[in-house]
Amino acid sequence: MWLDRLAGQSSSPSSSQPGSRAYSPAPRRTPSGLGPYITSQQRPGVTPRSSSLSLASTDSSASSFLAVSRRPNGSTLKESRTLYTGPDPAEILDKLLGDDGNNAAATTTSAPSSVSSISAEDLQLEFDFDGLSVRELALSEEPAIDGADLYRPQAAEEYEHDKAKFEDLHRSIRACDEVLSSVETNLTSFRNDLATVSADIETLQARSTALNVRLENRKAVEKGLGPVVEEISVPPAVVSKIAEGHIDESWVKVVAEIDKRATAYKKSTSSAPGSRGLQDLGPLLEKLVLKAIERIRDFLVAQIKALRSPHINAQIIQQQNFLKFKDLYTFLHKHHSTLADEIGLAYMNTMRWYYANQFTRYENALKKIKLHFLDKTDVLGNEDTSRKGTVLSSSKIAGPPHDAFNLGRRIDLLRTSNHIALSSYLAEEDQSTHYLEVPFRNFNLALIDNATAEYTFLASFFSSALNYSTISRHFAYIFEPTFQLGHNLTKSLVAESYDAIGVLLAVRLNQHFQFELQRRKIPAADGYLNGAAMLLWPRLQFIMDAHCESVRTLTSSLPSRPPTSKAEQGRLSAAPHVCTQRFGQLLHSVLALSSEAGDDEPVVTSLRRLRSEMEAFLTKYSTAFGNDRRKRERFLYNNYSLVLTIISDTHGKLAEEEQEHFEGLKTAFQEAA
């Protein structure tokens, strides 16, 4: 029947093909393999479809293999269809539509018992015939079925050919299974490795966190303990440097480190006496300090010995070998003050000998300079003034003439910009004759320069260990014989000299030296210069007194009455007296050298007394003109005018006073002129 055909067609697994819709107008059902009609058994004569994938089919089923065709997805399986060999559908349809109901009932009853009856529910189904009637649908041609889609029995060759293909496919599938199994194994291993790595990362993160915590704790501990450990630890390199290293700037730095450690050790010992680390460090530090003291002692003693070498420049050794290592003496004085004092005493004795020896040689060289010697005959009131020359050793020989009252170019010693002392060689070779201020200046200039250098060195080298009062005492001890040598030289120069200008020049030079020491801030040498001043000022007073006494003597020798003979009166002249010329020159010299002097200097008093004596002499001398008042006043005017002319180019407060005084005298006797 047609319905049975529909049931048979619906059981085909290939009913999903698009071409089956032309003869299957019923609505699409689920792919269950059953049609819209439920049958109890298969239609007779229709062989169920068997799978074409089974390679173990029997001979009875070998003819039921479907022909396979390649699917669009690339599979080697082909969709197969079973050829229908049942009744003609047109006949079945004629029977269904015929007028003879009996024929229909007979047909229905003659249907195989395997076909189930049509229920009312089945008759209520709506079929889609695409606009065709049932007759037209029955008479329509069935769509052509591709021979490739028809299943037909296979020959042995085709079977063998398909078998080989399926075996190749099977082997390919097995190979793919093996590859996939290997990939699965690798992926499983990779997954396990990833799990292990993940666990390791978690472990590392935990360890990193723990290490960060430990690091922070260690930093906190190190911040607190670092300075303490640094203070009480001594690196091996420091020990090696102290014991065997060359003494240079780096060695001084290492000694400073040792001093720092020793200071910290003493401080820590007082605060934590029971520390194990401090107990271990103590002996090592003590040995290092003793070793450093030993090496410093040897180094300083070697430098002190070098100062006693002949023709050595002490200032070079002081600058290069002492001042560069002054911290060593500080370290020595701090850790072994007794040894430091002994080394300091050795240095002071060495320099005491050095300066005494050098300046003794220099004094001997200066003594060979020829000097003008002015004795008591070179006073103002002596009319027979001789001109003599001598050397400092007081052996009198004939020398070039000199002027005891004229300053001349002798003042250049105060104005010169050359502050270098005459060398011993030049002093010995000099054949010129000089005044006493030349050796005085050169000796004291050299002494002041050396005293400045030595005091500066002492203040720099010993300042960190000693106070300045102690340094001043050391300086005085070193220069005591040298200062005494300078005082002796000053005494020998001025003791028998009547050179008022030379002594006053020495006084001004001494004052300049005092100002220079104040500028250099060297107070320790003030005692020497004060002692020199105490030698010069009394001698200057003595010389000025000698001049006053000579004028007084000259005044006393004048006759008390005017001459009575005409011959004697004819020899009288109103021209200035020779003593007036000398007095004017001496006054000019003193005023020129006292332009910056104060009113409290002894020379001011002496100069005024000398002026009074000179005025008394001129007044008494003018009485020789008798009753001739005009000549007498002219004589006085000429003398005072000469003095005023001589001192007119001087400057200073004292010079202005003297100029004003003599200007008044000149004016008083000007009418007679």
Side-chain angles (χ1 to χ4, degrees), residues 602-659:
V603 69
V604 176
T605 304
S606 299
L607 193 61
R608 289 173 179 172
R609 288 195 296 110
L610 181 60
R611 185 188 65 189
S612 299
E613 294 293 339
M614 193 64 196
E615 291 175 0
F617 167 73
L618 293 177
T619 301
K620 187 175 182 179
Y621 190 88
S622 65
T623 59
F625 292 98
N627 297 326
D628 193 349
R629 179 181 176 184
R630 184 178 181 85
K631 288 185 178 180
R632 183 170 64 250
E633 292 181 354
R634 183 183 302 169
F635 170 78
L636 294 175
Y637 172 82
N638 291 337
N639 282 270
Y640 295 142
S641 178
L642 176 63
V643 173
L644 181 62
T645 302
I646 294 175
I647 66 174
S648 60
D649 60 345
T650 57
H651 305 282
K653 183 178 180 181
L654 183 61
E656 292 176 358
E657 292 179 358
E658 294 298 325
Q659 290 172 5

Side-chain angles (χ1 to χ4, degrees), residues 80 108 196-197 221 223 267 298 340 343 461 490 503 506 570 595 645 673:
S80 61
T108 303
T196 303
V197 171
V221 174
K223 185 177 180 181
K267 182 178 179 181
D298 297 340
I343 292 179
F461 189 77
T490 302
V503 175
S595 59
T645 302

Side-chain angles (χ1 to χ4, degrees), residues 477-490:
Y477 177 79
I478 292 173
F479 275 91
E480 181 182 359
T482 308
F483 287 162
Q484 186 62 40
L485 192 65
H487 288 161
N488 293 337
L489 175 62
T490 302

Side-chain angles (χ1 to χ4, degrees), residues 147-365:
D149 294 335
L150 298 178
Y151 176 77
R152 61 181 178 273
Q154 292 180 328
E157 293 80 3
E158 293 178 354
Y159 175 79
E160 292 297 331
H161 181 265
D162 292 340
K163 180 181 177 181
K165 289 170 55 179
F166 285 114
E167 287 178 351
D168 291 339
L169 177 62
H170 182 67
R171 285 192 296 271
S172 298
I173 292 173
R174 291 185 64 183
C176 290
D177 289 341
E178 292 177 358
V179 173
L180 291 175
S181 177
S182 175
V183 171
E184 180 183 9
T185 303
N186 291 335
L187 290 177
T188 303
S189 176
F190 180 68
R191 182 184 63 186
N192 296 334
D193 292 342
L194 284 179
T196 303
V197 171
S198 178
D200 292 342
I201 290 176
E202 292 179 357
T203 304
L204 290 177
Q205 287 179 346
R207 292 182 59 187
S208 176
T209 303
L211 289 176
N212 287 333
V213 174
R214 294 175 61 185
L215 178 61
E216 294 298 329
N217 295 336
R218 179 166 294 184
K219 286 182 178 179
V221 174
E222 183 179 357
K223 185 177 180 181
L225 294 181
V228 178
V229 175
E230 181 68 21
E231 288 178 354
I232 65 174
S233 61
V234 179
V238 173
V239 179
S240 176
K241 184 70 174 179
I242 289 293
E244 302 174 357
H246 178 68
I247 297 180
D248 51 11
E249 289 82 354
S250 61
W251 198 85
V252 175
K253 294 180 180 179
V254 173
V255 170
E257 288 294 326
I258 294 297
D259 183 43
K260 181 179 177 182
R261 299 291 193 281
T263 303
Y265 171 75
K266 293 179 180 178
K267 182 178 179 181
S268 301
T269 303
S270 60
S271 60
S275 175
R276 180 66 179 272
L278 296 177
Q279 293 177 359
D280 295 339
L281 181 66
L284 175 61
L285 271 179
E286 184 178 357
K287 292 179 181 179
L288 281 177
V289 169
L290 291 178
K291 185 64 178 179
I293 289 174
E294 178 184 353
R295 298 203 63 190
I296 292 172
R297 178 201 62 191
D298 297 340
F299 174 78
L300 293 179
V301 169
Q303 303 308 317
I304 292 174
K305 288 182 179 180
L307 293 173
R308 291 183 174 269
S309 302
H311 308 293
I312 195 69
N313 190 338
Q315 295 182 8
I316 294 179
I317 296 179
Q318 288 175 348
Q319 295 294 327
Q320 296 182 356
N321 298 341
F322 278 96
L323 288 181
K324 289 173 62 176
F325 304 100
K326 64 179 182 179
D327 293 336
L328 299 183
Y329 183 82
T330 304
F331 177 86
L332 181 63
H333 189 273
K334 182 177 181 180
H335 295 278
H336 202 309
S337 58
T338 303
L339 180 60
D341 293 339
E342 292 176 356
I343 292 179
L345 182 60
Y347 170 81
M348 290 187 290
N349 289 329
T350 300
M351 295 308 296
R352 180 185 175 99
W353 167 85
Y354 173 82
Y355 287 116
N357 181 58
Q358 295 294 329
F359 277 94
T360 299
R361 293 173 53 191
Y362 190 57
E363 182 194 22
N364 293 332

Side-chain angles (χ1 to χ4, degrees), residues 7 63 101 139 180 212 242 282 287 386 390 404 420 433 512 581 594 609 620 633:
S63 61
L139 292 177
L180 291 175
N212 287 333
I242 289 293
K287 292 179 181 179
S386 60
T390 184
I420 300 177
T433 305
H512 283 192
Q581 178 73 24
S594 304
R609 288 195 296 110
K620 187 175 182 179
E633 292 181 354

Side-chain angles (χ1 to χ4, degrees), residues 77-96:
L77 297 178
K78 294 183 179 180
E79 184 181 358
S80 61
R81 294 181 183 272
T82 304
L83 292 177
Y84 178 71
T85 57
D88 188 4
E91 295 179 356
I92 297 172
L93 185 62
D94 288 337
K95 291 179 180 181
L96 290 174

